[in-house]
């Protein structure tokens, strides 16, 4: 039997390049056909290893999901940025490489991110999801998120609706 080790851990500065790679692949897989191609290409291009190293240095909390030592997903989290919502914590991003989706890693990473926010004394949690990202809507609804608010994200000429899921 082939036993795989799964680990959720805080990032370190040496993870910047590999998180940039995961981000690149996961964002193209998730948003191709949703976010206009050129805009997506530019957004992803800006987030290279240097960008991630800087984000990590500036104390954005990043968690990574590893299988047998390979980083296959990440989550970024911190204070809620939307003043109209009372929840104090937010998961800004949570992405798993396509070939590792659907095997429970997202659920584990989400639970670890929630625990991390709670340990920092932040009560309640918000996650924003583009309305066209059906897999993510299903994932957060399965995780007990309540559809609480709506907003719009503008990608150059294209305005996309987003939904805030909250947990108290
Ligand atoms: C959404 C995402 C984080 C879920 O993580 P995951 O590891 O694939 O999900 P899990 O294996 O833990 O599954 C958890 C639940 O989500 C559902 N789910 C996961 N992937 C799904 C998919 N592709 N389609 C439909 N449902 C899916 C599972 O059925 C499960 O629901 P259940 O408990 O009712 O059976 C992951 O698929 C991902 O990274 N997607 C692309 C990026 C993204 O959209 N991120 C969120 C942006 S805010």
């Amino acid at each position: 039997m082939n036993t795989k080790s799964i680990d959720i851990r805080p990032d370190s500065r040496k993870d910047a390049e590999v998180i940039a790679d995961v981000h690149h692949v996961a964002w193209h897989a998730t948003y191709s056909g949703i976010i206009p191609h050129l805009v997506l290409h530019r957004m992803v291009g800006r987030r290279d290893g240097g960008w991630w190293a800087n984000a990590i240095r500036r104390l954005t909390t990043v968690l990574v999901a590893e299988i047998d030592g390979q980083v296959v997903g990440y989550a970024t989290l911190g204070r809620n940025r939307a003043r109209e919502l009372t929840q104090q914590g937010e998961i800004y991003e949570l992405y798993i490489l396509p070939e590792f989706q659907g095997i429970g890693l997202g659920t584990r990473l989400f639970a670890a991110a929630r625990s991390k926010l709670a340990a920092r004394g932040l009560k309640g949690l918000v996650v924003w999801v583009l309305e066209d990202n059906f897999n993510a809507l299903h994932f957060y609804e399965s995780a007990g998120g309540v559809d609480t608010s709506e907003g719009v994200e503008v990608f150059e000429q294209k305005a996309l609706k987003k939904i805030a899921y909250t947990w108290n």
Side-chain angles (χ1 to χ4, degrees):
M1 193 172 79
N2 184 6
T3 307
K4 300 225 175 269
S5 74
I6 296 177
D7 193 23
I8 308 288
R9 63 164 175 80
D11 67 319
S12 73
R13 276 174 69 178
K14 68 175 172 35
D15 293 318
E17 290 294 338
V18 75
I19 296 173
D21 290 344
V22 172
H23 169 264
H24 180 103
V25 174
W27 274 51
H28 276 289
T30 306
Y31 297 119
S32 291
I34 298 181
I35 296 175
H37 178 74
L38 270 179
V39 183
L40 178 60
H41 188 72
R42 277 201 294 270
M43 284 170 75
V44 171
R46 279 196 290 272
R47 301 262 208 109
D48 59 5
W51 187 95
W52 279 101
N54 196 31
I56 293 166
R57 213 171 22 245
R58 291 199 329 257
L59 295 181
T60 298
T61 303
V62 186
L63 295 175
V64 296
E66 265 183 353
I67 292 191
D68 286 346
Q70 180 197 350
V71 173
V72 299
Y74 72 89
T76 59
L77 47 125
R79 279 194 176 276
N80 164 33
R81 299 165 293 184
R83 287 198 193 143
E84 73 273 20
L85 296 172
T86 56
Q87 290 76 14
Q88 296 176 324
E90 180 172 350
I91 297 178
Y92 307 127
E93 297 183 10
L94 197 160
Y95 289 86
I96 307 288
L97 284 177
E99 61 270 40
F100 294 95
Q101 290 174 13
I103 56 169
L105 282 175
T107 302
R108 288 175 70 153
L109 195 50
F110 177 75
R114 250 184 118 170
S115 303
K116 190 93 182 168
L117 289 169
R120 282 176 57 182
L122 297 172
K123 293 196 176 63
L125 164 67
V126 183
V127 183
W128 288 94
V129 186
L130 290 182
E131 191 189 45
D132 293 339
N133 186 358
F134 301 118
N135 291 340
L137 299 185
H138 178 87
F139 174 74
Y140 290 117
E141 275 162 20
S142 288
V146 178
D147 178 343
T148 305
S149 183
E150 284 181 4
V152 171
E153 196 78 40
V154 180
F155 298 92
E156 295 191 359
Q157 274 87 16
K158 191 169 178 185
L160 294 173
K161 212 160 114 186
K162 60 183 182 178
I163 296 171
Y165 284 96
T166 61
W167 290 256
N168 288 319

